């Protein structure tokens, strides 16, 4: 969740920001921070390059978790979570990464450690995830191209 909050702060948007608003804010920030505008010193150009990389990363991340993006990809998501078994999963900093047998990989954000422990100890991790994870946490695909604004 911290990552999401940080990226929203970078772009200056709230949690209800839609794809079009993200796109507008992104373009404005990139116009202001484009490295080619900073020709006066090498230091300022390097700072602008770092800032623009951060803006690009934040934009792409927020687009990937936006509600409109999830609506556009919901059919693929439902197909994966209902028909493909879990091939592997990893937990780090409240982010649960689940790899599915069909090659899809999804990240679930703000998953409490207690839920992860229950997933590990479940008789059927797939059934546990379908009941307690897939519909309850913000997710994004890290394996497939998602919609763009």
């Amino acid at each position: 969740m911290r990552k999401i909050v940080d990226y929203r702060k970078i772009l200056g948007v709230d949690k209800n920001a839609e794809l079009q608003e993200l796109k507008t804010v992104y373009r404005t920030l990139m116009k202001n921070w484009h490295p080619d505008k900073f020709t006066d010193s090498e230091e300022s150009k390097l700072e602008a390059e770092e800032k623009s990389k951060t803006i690009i990363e934040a934009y792409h991340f927020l687009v990937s978790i936006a509600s409109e993006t999830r609506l556009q990809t919901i059919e693929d998501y439902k197909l994966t979570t209902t028909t493909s078994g879990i091939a592997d999963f990893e937990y780090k900093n409240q982010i649960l990464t689940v790899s599915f047998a069909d090659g899809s990989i999804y990240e679930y954000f703000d998953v409490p450690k207690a839920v992860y422990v229950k997933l590990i100890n479940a008789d059927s991790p797939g059934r546990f995830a379908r009941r307690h994870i897939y519909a309850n946490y913000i997710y994004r695909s890290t394996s497939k191209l998602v919609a763009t604004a």
Side-chain angles (χ1 to χ4, degrees):
M1 192 67 154
R2 181 92 175 122
K3 185 177 189 178
I4 297 170
V5 171
D6 289 345
Y7 284 156
R8 286 182 181 142
K9 282 183 184 176
I10 289 168
L11 295 185
V13 296
D14 65 10
K15 68 179 183 176
N16 299 319
E18 295 183 1
L19 287 177
Q20 190 57 46
E21 180 183 354
L22 288 172
K23 184 177 183 178
T24 303
V25 168
Y26 166 73
R27 286 184 173 180
T28 302
L29 286 171
M30 287 306 295
K31 284 178 188 174
N32 294 337
W33 285 99
H34 197 280
D36 290 346
K37 288 180 66 175
F38 295 86
T39 57
D40 51 333
S41 74
E42 191 63 31
E43 186 177 302
S44 62
K45 187 171 184 160
L46 288 174
E47 179 186 349
E49 284 177 7
E50 287 302 313
K51 181 72 173 176
S52 63
K53 286 178 186 177
T54 304
I55 292 167
I56 291 167
E57 182 180 332
Y59 170 72
H60 286 290
F61 180 85
L62 291 176
V63 165
S64 72
I65 65 166
S67 58
E68 294 100 324
T69 302
R70 291 195 316 235
L71 283 174
Q72 292 174 6
T73 60
I74 193 74
E75 293 304 318
D76 289 338
Y77 179 70
K78 284 182 180 179
L79 183 65
T80 296
T81 58
T82 57
T83 62
S84 294
I86 295 176
D88 194 18
F89 52 86
E90 179 183 342
Y91 184 78
K92 186 176 182 182
N93 298 330
Q94 291 192 316
I95 299 173
L96 176 64
T97 305
V98 179
S99 302
F100 291 91
D102 70 354
S104 299
I105 301 171
Y106 287 91
E107 288 181 332
Y108 297 87
F109 298 95
D110 205 25
V111 178
K113 187 167 183 142
V115 172
Y116 174 67
V117 170
K118 288 179 182 179
L119 174 67
I120 292 172
N121 295 324
D123 291 336
S124 171
R127 183 174 58 216
F128 179 86
R130 279 190 295 279
R131 290 181 180 171
H132 302 285
I133 296 172
Y134 298 156
N136 296 325
Y137 298 98
I138 294 174
Y139 65 89
R140 76 175 186 141
S141 172
T142 60
S143 61
K144 296 180 182 175
L145 183 63
V146 295
T148 56

